[in-house]
Amino acid sequence: MAARRHKGHEEHEEHFDESWLVSYADMMTLLVALFMVLFSISSVNISKFEDLQRSLSNAFSGKVLPGGKGIQESGGSDPSVSSVVKAPDTSALVAQDGTAKQQAAAAKAEGENLEALRKAIAGAVRDRGLSSRVRTRVTRRGLEVRLLTDDLLFASGSAVVQERGAGLLRDVGEILGMESQHPVVVEGHTDDVPIATAQFPTNWELSSARATGVVRALTAAGIPAKRLTAQGRADLDGIASNRTASGRALNRRVEILLPRQVAPPTGAGATTSGDPAVTAAVDAAFPSISPEIQP
């Protein structure tokens, strides 16, 4: 009976687990494949190597599916975190605000400089008793000096500067020569009455010649020629009606302009920052253009 029980025990004895052979076989297969790949590229085939490099790069950093992310882009981050909208970078806005303030300050300083020149010219005009013939103002364009030509600069139909006007232009030239930062633009203007002489076939030639005559006078007063520009505008930019004699007299003029070199940040009276201090500085530097020129 005992022998019979021993025999039954031997019939039910458990065998060793051989499931590890599956994993082992898979690993060996992968190693063989790896060695085959290494062997295939051992000859350093450049084209194959570049293809492999591109494939690996696309796999790890490219888009797996349209709208998806590569491995390097997504990593192990929480998808809920990546969906949060980031706050906008305000560093550029701060830089713009600072630039606007600096530009407004520079514009204000330039306006003060031009105003000082205007007052000096206005004083010279008063000393010569010509306040009714010359007007000065500082506008968004710059410093403007308007000289009526009749009985001051030129005789009718002439571009030769008269003696009375030559003295005034000498004073103006000496004052403008006190600073060297701004160019000086001289514009000649006429009324709309046609002129047809051998020297001046049209008002274009007359206005250009008169502007050139003033430029020569300013050069003689000491302003470097490289700062000066002469422009003839004929009757295009009238400031009064040509229907009356008084209006035509106002249109016959020469204007001397010192253009501004510093522009307002976004136009006079407006800034990108909304800072009241900046707005006030721009308004002070760029006053509104009034219809009348102040003496």
Side-chain angles (χ1 to χ4, degrees):
M1 180 67 67
R4 188 179 299 112
R5 286 197 300 269
H6 178 74
K7 181 177 180 181
H9 176 74
E10 291 180 351
E11 290 177 354
H12 292 86
E13 184 176 359
E14 296 181 358
H15 299 281
F16 292 104
D17 186 8
E18 298 179 352
S19 60
W20 62 271
L21 290 175
V22 177
S23 300
Y24 178 78
D26 291 341
M27 183 182 67
M28 294 301 297
T29 302
L30 292 175
L31 288 175
V32 171
L34 175 62
F35 290 140
M36 291 179 64
V37 171
L38 295 176
F39 177 77
S40 65
I41 65 173
S42 61
S43 59
V44 193
N45 188 314
I46 300 300
S47 61
K48 292 182 178 180
F49 179 77
E50 292 177 351
D51 292 340
L52 176 62
Q53 185 182 27
R54 283 193 297 269
S55 299
L56 292 175
S57 177
N58 292 334
F60 284 92
S61 62
K63 304 298 183 183
V64 178
L65 292 174
K69 292 186 176 182
I71 295 176
Q72 291 181 342
E73 293 179 347
S74 60
S77 60
D78 187 353
S80 62
V81 176
S82 62
S83 63
V84 177
V85 178
K86 294 182 178 180
D89 185 6
T90 59
S91 59
L93 299 178
V94 174
Q96 291 178 0
D97 180 70
T99 301
K101 291 182 179 179
Q102 294 174 0
Q103 190 171 0
K108 182 179 180 180
E110 182 185 36
E112 293 173 350
N113 181 32
L114 295 178
E115 178 62 20
L117 293 174
R118 187 202 71 79
K119 290 181 178 179
I121 294 174
V125 170
R126 284 194 299 268
D127 293 342
R128 289 185 173 271
L130 297 173
S131 296
S132 62
R133 312 297 299 167
V134 182
R135 293 291 186 271
T136 62
R137 67 176 178 177
V138 176
T139 70
R140 296 188 184 104
R141 294 181 64 200
L143 171 60
E144 298 178 0
V145 181
R146 179 176 297 173
L147 305 95
L148 302 182
T149 59
D150 292 357
D151 301 325
L152 177 61
L153 293 181
F154 308 105
S156 179
S158 172
V160 178
V161 178
Q162 297 179 331
E163 182 177 355
R164 187 184 183 189
L168 175 62
L169 291 177
R170 181 171 56 252
D171 293 345
V172 173
E174 290 175 353
I175 294 172
L176 295 181
M178 295 169 60
E179 70 96 41
S180 59
Q181 301 300 319
H182 293 82
V184 181
V185 180
V186 180
E187 299 176 348
H189 301 270
T190 67
D191 56 27
D192 65 348
V193 177
I195 185 174
T197 65
Q199 187 177 6
F200 307 116
T202 67
N203 281 322
W204 284 105
E205 287 81 9
L206 177 60
S207 62
S208 298
R210 286 182 170 180
T212 302
V214 173
V215 164
R216 286 198 299 267
L218 296 178
T219 302
I223 298 180
K226 63 182 180 180
R227 291 182 58 193
L228 291 160
T229 301
Q231 297 180 354
R233 297 293 297 162
D235 62 326
L236 296 181
D237 304 323
I239 58 174
S241 173
N242 283 304
R243 297 180 179 179
T244 63
S246 59
R248 291 191 295 271
L250 291 175
N251 289 334
R252 295 190 294 269
R253 69 197 190 278
V254 171
E255 294 189 356
I256 302 173
L257 172 67
L258 270 67
R260 288 185 181 271
Q261 302 300 292
V262 182
T266 56
T271 65
T272 55
S273 66
D275 188 338
V278 178
T279 302
V282 174
D283 288 339
F286 293 87
S288 299
I289 300 177
S290 58
E292 296 295 332
I293 299 179
Q294 299 300 321

